[in-house]
Amino acid sequence: MLNHITLMGRLVRDPELRYTGSQVPVASFTLAVDRDFGGRDGAERQTDFIDIVAWRNTAEFVSKYFSKGSMAVVSGRLQIRDWTDRDNNKRRTAEVVAENVYFGESKRSREDGYQSAPRSSSRDSYQSNPYQGGYQSFDSAPSAGAFSDLSDTDGELPF
């Protein structure tokens, strides 16, 4: 069976980071996602507000580097949860359990437009990498000295 979902949208509010009793970080946030259809022929575009839950390193990453208005790409799985409210009524909630969260726009476009003020100057230059257990910098481009000219002796490609 396959249960995989990928969403792209903007955070409706700042992520809320909490810890379980055993000190496992969990972050929750809501993503506003426009539907692909609508908005054509003068119709108003529809938006879905989808609850997202992230655990452990992904939770800490989201709470540190994303805020209200940030564009995010979330991949994970859809989860349906049954629970009972204060009035003893049975409820059902659909949410996405995030496995990976990526920046959905460049650092420059966030600074120029929609995003609220950043929490720190280097906050947007990292991407979570769950396989390496850390963060990977995408802030710097290779310098011109990192490339070397190929000699064109016979006109053939060297590979």
Side-chain angles (χ1 to χ4, degrees):
M1 304 296 160
L2 181 65
N3 182 357
H4 185 82
I5 187 167
T6 302
L7 301 166
M8 182 174 182
R10 293 199 182 273
L11 274 73
V12 174
R13 56 182 164 74
D14 289 343
E16 181 180 334
L17 181 66
R18 291 181 289 187
Y19 292 87
T20 64
S22 57
Q23 297 305 304
V24 175
V26 58
S28 58
F29 58 97
T30 301
L31 210 59
V33 179
D34 287 338
R35 293 188 184 174
D36 283 341
F37 59 90
R40 297 182 189 113
D41 303 327
E44 188 174 319
R45 186 169 212 127
Q46 293 184 345
T47 303
D48 293 306
F49 297 91
I50 300 171
D51 293 328
I52 313 289
V53 176
W55 293 86
R56 296 177 181 77
N57 288 343
T58 305
E60 291 174 333
F61 171 72
V62 167
S63 69
K64 186 173 182 181
Y65 296 106
F66 288 84
S67 60
K68 178 181 178 179
S70 298
M71 178 75 74
V73 178
V74 175
S75 68
R77 61 185 169 82
L78 183 62
Q79 175 176 285
I80 308 297
R81 220 173 17 97
D82 294 320
W83 53 283
T84 306
D85 66 11
R86 293 181 195 159
D87 299 328
N88 222 16
N89 297 318
K90 294 196 181 278
R91 301 285 184 177
R92 180 170 251 193
T93 300
E95 59 193 8
V96 173
V97 178
E99 294 169 3
N100 297 296
V101 178
Y102 305 99
F103 295 111
E105 60 191 347
S106 70
K107 181 178 179 181
R108 182 172 299 142
S109 65
R110 281 190 300 274
E111 290 172 350
D112 291 345
Y114 190 80
Q115 171 100 10
S116 59
R119 295 180 190 170
S120 71
S121 61
S122 63
R123 93 172 227 225
D124 297 323
S125 63
Y126 296 93
Q127 178 178 9
S128 173
N129 189 337
Y131 302 107
Q132 293 178 352
Y135 300 103
Q136 184 176 29
S137 175
F138 291 98
D139 206 19
S140 59
S143 65
F147 298 100
S148 61
D149 290 332
L150 296 175
S151 60
D152 190 18
T153 56
D154 61 359
E156 293 292 318
L157 294 175
F159 48 86

